[in-house]
Amino acid sequence: MRLETPEFDTVLYHRPESLEDYPLHLCPGCGHGIVHRLIAEVVDELGIRERAVCVASIGCMVNSYHYFKFDGLESAHGRAPAVATAIKRCHPHLVPFTYQGDGDLAAIGTAEIVHACARGENFTTIFVNNAIYGMTGGQMAPTTLLGMYSTSTTGGREPARSGYPIRVCEMLSALDGPAYIARESVHKPSAVRKAKQAIKLAFRTQLAGLGMSLVEVLSPCPVNWRLEPVDAMKWLAEHMLPQYPLGEYKVIEAVAALKKETDHA
Amino acid sequence: MTEKTLMAGNIAIAEGAILAGCQAYFGYPITPQNEILEHLSKRMPGDGRVFLQTESELAAINMVYGAAAAGCRAMTSTSSPGFSLEQEGISYMAGAELPAVIVNVMRGGPGLGNIGGAQGDYFQSTRGGGHGDYRLINLAPASVQEMMDFTMLAFELADKYRNPVVVLADGFLGQVMEPIVRRPPVTELPDKPWAITGARGRAKNVINSFEMNPADFPPRVRLLFQKYEAICQNEVRFESLELSDATLVIVAYGSVSRSAVTAVKMARREGIPVGLFRPTTVYPFPYKALTELARHADNFLVAELSFGQLIDDVRLAVGHDKRVALVNRYGGVPLHADEILAAIKEMISQPVGR
Amino acid sequence: MVTLVVAAYPKTSYIVIDEEKCKGCHLCIAACPNGVIGQASHINRMGYIPATVIREKAEECTGCTVCAIMCPDTVISVYRHDRVSTHSAP
């Protein structure tokens, strides 16, 4: 049911066209909801709703193809980059993007994301890092911080037993294939705006056929961090930003040029 | 045109795929089927076809999933250890009702095993192999010609039933070279309105095998099983050799059935009424045909390159009041005609009855 | 049926919160620079206490859309009166 707008008012903000009016099954205050909305806004602004393909993965965002108003499909845990590789190569005019969490991308799917980047596949990955396994109830993820509680590191993560958190952007930007890699966050409005710009530039990188684009988005998981949503955002700023510094990690020249166009346009 | 050429089994599979209009191939090197990957790396690229050597069989099968979801005819080829890595992806494709062709050039197992031909993946392949309730059509070639023909048939059946299809070959068939007639290429590919092609001028398409609410999933599984019933009804295939008066029936598929043909000739020369029953689909298995044979044949000798897997299906078909014996090799070693002949003689020398 | 609280006042901007879909996460409440949004006094169909526009503070909405930016469930829309409306406050 669309929200009626008194006809004589201008709309300053309204649900993006590409986002279904479908209740999200996500927990209150979950960052995935914000990231879904940003993707839909970018797809609208770039006018690619009829070419976009959501390659969902397994995790809290397993239902994301229900939330977008364009083609979508599910892929096995960790394999979204392989599925997207095939879709892009079979139908180069489509605009597939994988939507993955830290368990999906940095644990079981590490080989797939590394090789998709190494091949410079021309699709976009949106990687939401909330440092925990959300859907399965809060276990340690590859990006869980040292000392951080999880249901499988109840005394806090210790490197001796559970190793060190993986900095994905830094790791992948060492490869030649990626054209654009950035890490952003949704912990406050200005950060959300930057995240949207990065997501938009990533899609534009794909549209220009410049190679692999990946945006890591730091996101809260209030339920499994055992924090109120507002406090979870503060915790993210305090604890995750130092471990996962925000910013652009790989911007090839052609993408930098693309970026300039937006600044002037 | 019946252009006859000499070709290796693996190459016949690769050419069969191209003739069937395969639009996307993803593979990973594993002996004894590397030639398929190598051949297609030269033949596939060009006019919009996709070829990719992947980082693993896991990636390969999920790329096949993506290409199939995009409405393309897609294939991967592997050998037993790789086939095991592909089971999850195959289960997803069955659940999402995606058509695709998976070639398994079986080799000695379990574990790393060796690179000799074998048939130890029979249970895995004919009973589903991955998690959940699903089955796969399994075509079992026994000659280089059938390697080509069954690969083409696999694509046709995959699209007809929107289900993955396995071409169940083995290392001997992959490497052997024989004369072969090149089939005419397929020109008409089926229309796939359900595919991921971009929601342009239509509602969006979603391809998945997941229902958050458990109550919503059983109807989807029931749909799959109605499909398998239709497959069992319509797609059973087998070959017979001198069965009309046979009192001893050899049951064998794939490369070992060739040794059985020689054994039948040798036995017939010695006046022993022996025939060969060769399933060319091992799912759907030809139970009915075997049951009918059991009316006039009392001895069933199962020849296979495994510890005894096909034999279970033969027992299911002919029941307990028939004698069913096994003559086999396993682990990558071939079974020869004279070994089968010895088993025939040993079987008929025992008195009739239990 | 979606119940709407239209905080339409003759001031320039206002927001509309779909209170039946709000999960009461308070991110918009924390984000609003002028404290225009607060907790409602009822529970919605999903069992959450939704966010709502505080009647007395409504006029201080500047249309900055920060609340909508932070909303994970896209339940907030933001509008601006172009012309001073003639109808009185509801």
Side-chain angles (χ1 to χ4, degrees):
Chain A
M1 211 275 322
R2 288 186 64 83
L3 300 176
E4 320 87 12
T5 331
E7 63 308 322
F8 51 81
D9 290 346
T10 45
V11 178
L12 297 177
Y13 185 79
H14 192 268
R15 165 186 297 279
E17 175 60 27
S18 295
L19 197 64
E20 298 273 18
D21 190 359
Y22 183 96
L24 298 176
H25 74 284
L26 301 165
C27 311
C30 170
H32 279 302
I34 299 172
V35 177
H36 274 77
R37 200 194 66 235
L38 294 182
I39 292 171
E41 286 171 15
V42 165
V43 166
D44 283 358
E45 286 161 26
L46 294 174
I48 53 172
R49 196 174 65 75
E50 293 181 339
R51 297 164 57 195
V53 177
C54 168
V55 183
S57 58
I58 306 298
C60 290
M61 76 316 281
V62 68
N63 271 325
S64 50
Y65 39 73
H66 289 311
Y67 304 142
F68 293 118
K69 236 181 247 167
F70 42 75
D71 277 5
L73 72 161
E74 159 200 283
S75 51
H77 197 25
R79 313 307 169 200
V83 174
T85 295
I87 289 176
K88 186 68 178 186
R89 287 179 175 231
C90 287
H91 296 317
H93 69 287
L94 292 183
V95 187
F97 64 92
T98 69
Y99 188 111
Q100 302 175 258
D102 40 44
D104 192 273
L105 182 135
I108 189 170
T110 318
E112 272 65 40
I113 192 65
V114 165
H115 284 275
C117 285
R119 291 189 301 262
E121 294 294 345
N122 199 17
F123 64 79
T124 301
T125 287
I126 307 299
F127 161 44
V128 177
N129 175 5
N130 55 16
I132 200 98
Y133 274 73
M135 182 174 211
T136 46
Q139 299 78 19
M140 179 191 84
T143 49
T144 295
L145 308 179
L146 292 185
M148 181 177 170
Y149 172 88
S150 81
T151 57
S152 52
T153 57
T154 46
R157 178 178 188 174
E158 300 155 33
R161 184 186 307 131
S162 313
Y164 297 85
I166 296 175
R167 282 190 277 267
V168 167
C169 287
E170 291 83 341
M171 179 175 80
L172 296 178
S173 50
L175 299 167
D176 295 331
Y180 178 68
I181 292 181
R183 177 182 294 127
E184 296 299 343
S185 171
V186 290
H187 67 286
K188 57 180 181 179
S190 56
V192 171
R193 286 204 180 91
K194 281 216 204 79
K196 177 174 174 178
Q197 276 157 17
I199 290 172
K200 190 166 192 177
L201 186 55
F203 273 93
R204 293 181 65 224
T205 299
Q206 173 176 173
L207 291 171
L210 297 173
M212 183 75 188
S213 49
L214 179 141
V215 178
E216 177 178 349
V217 186
L218 302 186
S219 164
C221 179
V223 165
N224 288 305
W225 290 1
R226 287 163 172 65
L227 291 169
E228 288 292 325
V230 174
D231 300 332
M233 292 299 195
K234 293 196 188 84
W235 190 88
L236 188 155
E238 233 171 90
H239 296 275
M240 285 188 69
L241 293 187
Q243 171 71 31
Y244 303 109
L246 303 184
E248 291 176 332
Y249 285 81
K250 182 116 195 256
V251 187
I252 62 170
E253 261 165 47
V255 175
L258 263 184
K259 228 177 107 174
K260 279 204 195 67
E261 272 165 36
T262 346
D263 301 348
H264 298 315
Chain B
M1 37 84 181
T2 58
E3 182 207 321
K4 221 174 185 124
T5 50
L6 195 61
M7 200 180 279
N10 282 335
I11 307 300
I13 285 180
E15 283 300 315
I18 289 178
L19 292 169
C22 176
Q23 294 153 297
Y25 171 84
F26 307 94
Y28 187 81
I30 181 166
T31 305
Q33 61 81 51
N34 299 309
E35 295 78 9
I36 300 176
L37 176 80
E38 291 162 345
H39 188 72
L40 289 178
S41 72
K42 294 184 289 258
R43 289 278 280 125
M44 281 291 279
D47 51 58
R49 289 195 295 240
V50 170
F51 169 87
L52 183 56
Q53 178 182 321
T54 68
E55 60 266 30
S56 70
E57 289 91 348
L58 281 179
I61 197 70
N62 282 285
M63 290 180 189
V64 169
Y65 177 99
C72 297
R73 281 197 155 177
M75 177 172 112
T76 185
S77 64
T78 186
S79 177
S80 308
F83 189 60
S84 288
L85 285 180
E86 293 179 341
Q87 291 312 305
E88 183 201 33
I90 293 171
S91 170
Y92 270 71
M93 279 196 276
E97 295 199 83
L98 290 177
V101 173
I102 301 110
V103 177
N104 181 8
V105 182
M106 292 185 278
R107 69 187 233 178
L112 191 50
N114 71 53
I115 58 170
Q119 298 181 324
D121 307 356
Y122 181 88
F123 280 154
Q124 175 183 34
S125 202
T126 58
R127 264 57 182 178
H131 59 283
D133 278 311
Y134 73 95
R135 305 302 287 270
L136 301 175
I137 294 176
N138 274 257
L139 305 178
S143 67
V144 170
Q145 184 68 60
E146 282 184 349
M147 295 278 257
M148 171 177 281
D149 296 351
F150 285 8
T151 300
M152 296 180 77
L153 177 61
F155 277 103
E156 191 192 316
L157 293 177
D159 280 338
K160 180 177 175 184
Y161 291 98
R162 276 186 65 180
N163 202 74
V165 175
V166 174
V167 175
L168 196 59
D170 67 53
F172 301 125
L173 285 168
Q175 298 300 327
V176 79
M177 285 188 86
E178 282 174 346
I180 177 174
V181 170
R182 183 181 290 275
R183 300 302 183 198
V186 169
T187 47
E188 287 297 315
L189 292 188
D191 178 34
K192 296 176 179 176
W194 45 265
I196 301 287
T197 50
R200 184 178 166 76
R202 63 164 168 75
K204 71 177 183 178
N205 283 340
V206 167
I207 289 180
N208 72 351
S209 56
F210 175 65
E211 295 295 341
M212 180 67 92
N213 176 354
D216 297 338
F217 201 63
R220 292 183 66 159
V221 180
R222 209 169 302 119
L223 258 179
L224 294 185
F225 271 79
Q226 283 156 6
K227 185 193 309 191
Y228 302 138
E229 270 155 21
I231 288 171
C232 290
Q233 225 70 42
N234 314 324
E235 307 302 340
V236 170
R237 290 168 168 80
F238 56 88
E239 300 287 337
S240 312
L241 177 68
E242 301 197 40
L243 284 174
S244 50
D245 65 338
T247 57
L248 183 145
V249 174
I250 303 174
V251 183
Y253 73 94
S255 64
V256 79
S257 66
R258 300 163 66 112
S259 311
V261 166
T262 311
V264 166
K265 289 195 184 99
M266 293 158 80
R268 284 281 173 176
R269 252 183 251 120
E270 299 184 25
I272 311 167
V274 169
L276 168 67
F277 179 86
R278 176 168 75 96
T280 47
T281 58
V282 282
Y283 185 88
F285 191 80
Y287 294 110
K288 229 189 271 124
L290 259 177
T291 310
E292 268 142 37
L293 265 179
R295 277 208 217 96
H296 64 73
D298 295 327
N299 301 299
F300 289 82
L301 178 62
V302 178
E304 42 179 323
L305 298 179
S306 89
F307 223 66
Q309 299 185 24
L310 168 67
I311 191 166
D312 280 14
D313 277 329
V314 174
R315 284 205 180 94
L316 277 178
V318 303
H320 286 296
D321 54 4
K322 295 296 168 180
R323 278 202 309 191
V324 180
L326 175 69
V327 57
N328 62 335
R329 285 284 176 271
Y330 38 81
V333 171
L335 176 66
H336 296 294
D338 48 13
E339 291 162 303
I340 297 175
L341 184 62
I344 290 168
K345 289 180 179 168
E346 211 254 324
M347 195 171 189
I348 58 170
S349 64
Q350 289 152 2
V352 180
R354 294 310 307 155
Chain C
M1 216 296 291
V2 173
T3 58
L4 291 186
V5 172
V6 178
Y9 293 98
K11 198 62 179 61
T12 51
S13 308
Y14 63 94
I15 64 172
V16 173
I17 300 174
D18 184 341
E19 297 197 3
E20 278 310 304
K21 291 209 182 87
C22 168
K23 292 177 184 166
C25 73
H26 294 189
L27 288 179
C28 56
I29 297 173
C32 176
N34 300 331
V36 172
I37 311 169
Q39 265 193 295
S41 52
H42 66 281
I43 293 181
N44 66 14
R45 217 161 6 102
M46 293 199 284
Y48 296 110
I49 302 168
T52 189
V53 174
I54 300 169
R55 188 176 295 282
E56 307 79 42
K57 303 281 282 183
E59 293 191 354
E60 295 181 32
C61 172
T62 62
C64 71
T65 74
V66 147
C67 54
I69 282 173
M70 289 309 290
C71 177
D73 290 274
T74 319
V75 302
I76 301 177
S77 302
V78 187
Y79 304 99
R80 192 180 59 233
H81 282 303
D82 287 329
R83 291 181 308 284
V84 177
S85 67
T86 50
H87 74 283
S88 62

